[in-house]
């Protein structure tokens, strides 16, 4: 029997609902339950794939090729459960499905309305694709009171009725702001936010209250009384130094105890030993390395969420703290700024779209290659490293990428055809932008005796997640190989390059996929473990 926990947020956005959901998922898992986490996003885009990372942060890609909200990354990292297409839905997708059904005639004769048609579609989504899960945690994006969120709140309210309250719990995350002049944490915004929830018929069962300092008992009592929640179910969620501390902190405050109590489950205490050992490593590193991330969306770190987490995991694996130096690649487009990279122990050029800043990324790759600093190129970062090698090692004039317009030698070109599970997928230049990239997990065959094969511990075939439209053009392979670059993994049909490396360099690797999406604190991705290991070596030299 699957029980549902609906997680809403109030007072302000950015309270960390995704992390709170992920942490609760991890705690229930640590008590031996099977969990699944889902996100319902009220915005009208069909998925976040067409949104700027500045609007929405990173687009998280699942194995089955869905472009999803970055909270799914938290879910995967905290629970180790791979997310699926069926774990994220938006208003846009719900409406487009309902409208497609209407056009097919599925509702013949009816007037299509938000209630019941849209709410029914949301409810169908919430209960779909579940098998033997003990808990499905469904986070509702946005903040209570948003107009777009109303159909979602109505749907989860109805589910409480349809499935019975014994199978549904409502958890509401709020903020208690601290007012220094009064020297107090204020409960009024929480009271108002619960009122707002009550106005749509939802009585929260547990309140998780974010606060920067201890919540006095008197304030907890007040919240309990005004919000009609038992005092034990008003759980303080105090700020912590590392996100990996959150499950332990919430457990200590009784969050999972309250959930078990609500559902009347007598579960064993959670085994949190692996969370404790992660915390030890995060809080007591033996050294530190500095890594420069040369990218485009450095103004909003959520744009690189999985990347910075994967680097942290690489640090955990090597027992070092990572000092991240975010650098806007455009800075390197004026020549005298490469000294900003002096003394860094590793350079990472992440994925990205569009022409702005690419010459700076190429300059960073030149610096890393020539000065023998570890270089990790991911997706666009790999493509630009190959363009760099084509220009400066192989002397190919006008080497570039057709993503940025016509060029004399398109080292990187539009990908129009690829195979997945025996089926050929085709794209053309005129296709729309939404959901049309090479998306999701694909196998790659690893070259024997390459550094990559060592990193992947001898694996012959690997599977990694993709999200890109362009691809390195194998027509230039021979020229590049002659100058010391190795194409060390390709798609099984040999048509698409997946990994390049420079064997003569201490650590120079470019990958066409996004390894950061599969890195987890308990299983750091081998590429990040190895890259940070190389940075540790580098730190001994400089
Ligand atoms: N813009 C490049 C492409 O579409 C790289 C994409 C990426 O870095 N994710 O191929």
């Amino acid at each position: 029997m699957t029980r549902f926990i609906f997680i809403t947020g109030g007072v302000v956005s950015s309270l960390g609902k995704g992390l709170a959901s992920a942490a609760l998922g991890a705690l229930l898992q640590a008590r031996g339950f099977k969990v699944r986490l889902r996100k319902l996003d009220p915005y009208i885009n069909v998925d976040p794939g067409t949104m700027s990372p500045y609007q929405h942060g990173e687009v998280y890609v699942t194995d089955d090729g869905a472009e999803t909200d970055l909270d799914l990354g938290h879910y995967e990292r905290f629970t180790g459960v791979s997310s699926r297409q069926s774990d994220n839905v938006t208003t846009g997708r719900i409406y487009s499905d309902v409208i497609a059904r209407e056009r097919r005639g599925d509702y013949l004769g009816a007037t299509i309305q938000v209630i019941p048609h849209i709410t029914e579609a949301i409810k169908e989504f919430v209960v779909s694709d579940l098998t033997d899960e003990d808990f499905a945690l469904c986070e509702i994006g946005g903040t209570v009171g948003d107009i777009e969120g109303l159909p979602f709140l109505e749907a989860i309210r109805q589910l409480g009725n349809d499935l019975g309250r014994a199978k549904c719990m409502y958890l509401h995350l709020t903020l208690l702001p601290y007012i220094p002049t009064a020297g107090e944490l204020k409960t009024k915004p929480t009271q108002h936010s619960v009122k707002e929830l009550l106005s749509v018929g939802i009585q929260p069962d547990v309140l998780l209250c974010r606060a920067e300092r201890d919540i006095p008992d008197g304030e907890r009592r007040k919240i309990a009384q005004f919000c009609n929640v038992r005092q034990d179910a008003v759980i303080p969620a105090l700020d912590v130094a590392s996100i990996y501390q959150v499950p332990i902190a919430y457990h200590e405050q009784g969050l999972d105890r309250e959930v078990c109590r609500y559902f009347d489950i007598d579960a064993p205490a959670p085994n949190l030993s692996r969370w404790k050992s992660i915390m030890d490593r995060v809080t007591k590193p033996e050294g530190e390395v500095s890594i420069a991330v040369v990218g485009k969306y450095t103004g909003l770190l959520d744009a690189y969420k999985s990347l910075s987490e994967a680097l942290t995991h690489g640090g955990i694996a090597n027992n070092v703290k990572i000092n991240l130096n975010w650098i806007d690649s455009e800075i390197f487009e004026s020549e005298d700024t490469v000294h900003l990279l002096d003394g860094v122990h590793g350079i990472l050029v992440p994925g990205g779209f569009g022409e702005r800043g690419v010459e700076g990324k190429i300059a960073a790759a030149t610096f890393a290659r020539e000065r023998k600093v570890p270089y990790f190129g991911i997706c666009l970062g790999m493509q630009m490293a190959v363009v760099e090698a084509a220009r400066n090692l192989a002397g190919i004039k006008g080497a570039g990428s057709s993503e940025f317009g016509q060029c004399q030698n398109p080292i990187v070109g539009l990908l129009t055809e690829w195979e997945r599970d025996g089926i050929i997928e085709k794209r053309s230049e005129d296709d729309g932008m939404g959901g049309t990239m090479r998306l999701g997990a694909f196998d790659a065959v690893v070259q024997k005796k390459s550094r990559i094969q060592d990193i992947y511990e001898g694996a012959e075939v690997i599977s990694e997640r993709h999200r890109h439209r362009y691809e390195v053009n194998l027509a230039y392979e021979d020229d590049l190989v002659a100058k010391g670059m190795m194409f060390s993994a390709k798609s099984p049909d040999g048509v698409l390059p997946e990994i390049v490396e420079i064997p003569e360099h201490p650590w120079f690797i470019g990958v066409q996929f996004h390894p950061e999406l599969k890195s987890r604190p308990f299983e750091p991705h081998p590429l990040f473990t190895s890259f940070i290991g190389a940075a540790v070596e580098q730190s001994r030299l400089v």
Side-chain angles (χ1 to χ4, degrees), residues 350-354 378-381 383 403 412 437 467-471 512 514:
F353 293 83
I378 294 180
C379 212
L380 185 63
Q383 295 173 353
E403 180 175 1
V412 178
M437 282 186 267
R467 181 172 185 252
H468 57 108
R469 199 167 266 122
Y470 296 83
E471 193 88 40
Q512 186 57 77
H514 289 276

Side-chain angles (χ1 to χ4, degrees), residues 33-59:
F33 294 112
K34 186 167 178 197
V35 298
R36 180 143 212 103
L37 285 111
R38 301 199 145 149
K39 175 99 192 263
L40 313 181
D41 273 313
Y43 54 73
I44 296 171
N45 303 56
V46 171
D47 62 41
T50 53
M51 268 188 250
S52 157
Y54 276 127
Q55 285 279 316
H56 191 262
E58 155 187 287
V59 174

